[in-house]
Each structure stands twice: as structure tokens, then as C-alpha cells.
Amino acid sequence: MSDHFFVVTGGPGAGKTSLITELARRGLHTIPESGRAVIREETARGGDALPWADRMSYAERMLERDLRAYEDAQALSGPVIFDRGTPDILGYLTLCGLPVPPHVTTAAKVAPYNARVFLAPYWDEIFTQDSERKQTRAEAEATCAVMRETYTALGYQITELPRADIATRADFVCSQLAI
């Protein structure tokens, strides 16, 4: 496991990106979620590697971005906080009922993160949808459960984030990282 690479995972609309933004504001190195970037790129170019069009192509594009980000982050010192990690792609494919290609499983193992993974639990009060996040509440809950199962099966230890405002969540993460 990479001691200074930490993942924040969970379902959509659980406050992950808001937390990552706050941690970046506090000076920590952060890596944005690849999924939204792929959606923006594919939409701009009229592509179909989208979760509502070609889920397997979408997963492959996310994997490419995640592996590149992981490699680039090697040059950073101190904690690096990732908005989702490569195991999220394995979880995504599982959730969609798609076969998980061997190279996705391999990537989830050869690009390890710190053993502690922060899970943003489904939180009905803050869940929202937008043009890029189209999942229903039920899908968001199911995604959270699959991410918990996926990371646990890979040997990670789940630390659930409190259902609290962003500053409190950021304080919690910083205290867990002892910074």
C-alpha cells in the first residue's frame, strides 16, 4: 500500500468532491475524480464513453485517467487525497453487472493506496442530481455499498466519514492523517 495516497470513495452525491475541494483549500495535494472529467470530455466531443451510453468504454477512459493521475502523484510529497481510486472502477463495473476485465483487477492491485480508505456514506439530506450525476437515490445507496465491499475485498480498511458539514469532515480527515 502507498502510505501517503488516500482515497475518498462512496456513492454519488455524498459530498466527496466538496470535501476534496476543502482539503485542497487547506493546502493538501488532491486528485479530482476522473469520472466527471471523462463525462465533460465525451460530451464536448460528442463521444459515447459515457455511463448512460457505453459503460465499458467509460470505465476504460476512467482507468486511463486514474492510472495517469496515480503516476503523476508519485512526485508529490505529503498526503495526496484522491477523489475515488482505481478500485472504484472495479466496483462500478460490478455495480453495472458488467464483466471486470483482468487488467482492471490488476490495476486495482498494482496502484495501491493507503490501507485506510475514507467512505462518504449515502446521506439522503445532501444527495442531489445534476447533468453529470444522473443516478437515483437507490443507485447512490447501492454504489456506496459496492464501494465498501470492493475496497474491503481488496484488503482496505474503511473509515466512514461523519455526516457533518464540510469543515467538520475535513477536520476529521486531517485528524485521521495526523496533520
Side-chain angles (χ1 to χ4, degrees):
M1 304 280 169
S2 180
D3 287 341
H4 71 290
F5 285 2
F6 294 87
V7 172
V8 177
T9 191
K16 294 177 304 300
T17 301
S18 296
L19 172 61
I20 295 293
T21 301
E22 174 61 17
L23 293 170
R25 189 192 68 73
R26 293 181 182 200
L28 277 79
H29 297 295
T30 60
I31 306 297
E33 177 189 3
S34 63
R36 282 194 182 257
V38 170
I39 290 171
R40 286 185 205 113
E41 290 168 2
E42 288 295 301
T43 301
R45 70 178 194 85
D48 65 351
L50 295 162
W52 50 86
D54 183 344
R55 290 177 168 177
M56 188 59 81
S57 292
Y58 175 63
E60 291 291 350
R61 291 282 314 282
M62 286 191 297
L63 182 62
E64 290 169 14
R65 287 185 72 90
D66 284 351
L67 290 174
R68 194 172 337 120
Y70 187 93
E71 185 64 32
D72 292 347
Q74 298 293 330
L76 301 174
S77 62
V80 180
I81 316 297
F82 289 77
D83 189 343
R84 300 195 177 277
T86 54
D88 280 77
I89 298 162
L90 196 155
Y92 171 75
L93 292 169
T94 301
L95 182 70
C96 294
L98 294 170
V100 178
H103 70 278
V104 173
T105 303
T106 299
K109 293 177 180 175
V110 300
Y113 302 89
N114 186 283
R116 172 177 291 169
V117 169
F118 295 98
L119 178 78
Y122 174 76
W123 188 4
D124 194 57
E125 288 78 10
I126 67 167
F127 176 80
T128 58
Q129 294 171 301
D130 59 37
S131 63
E132 296 170 352
R133 182 189 303 127
K134 299 180 181 190
Q135 296 94 335
T136 65
R137 292 176 188 277
E139 289 169 323
E141 283 186 278
T143 301
C144 183
V146 166
M147 294 310 162
R148 179 187 301 272
E149 292 165 12
T150 300
Y151 277 91
T152 299
L154 290 170
Y156 291 96
Q157 298 147 11
I158 302 297
T159 298
E160 192 167 302
L161 295 171
R163 288 179 174 92
D165 61 78
I166 296 302
T168 301
R169 278 183 159 189
D171 290 344
F172 175 81
V173 169
C174 289
S175 73
Q176 296 295 306
L177 303 179
I179 53 174

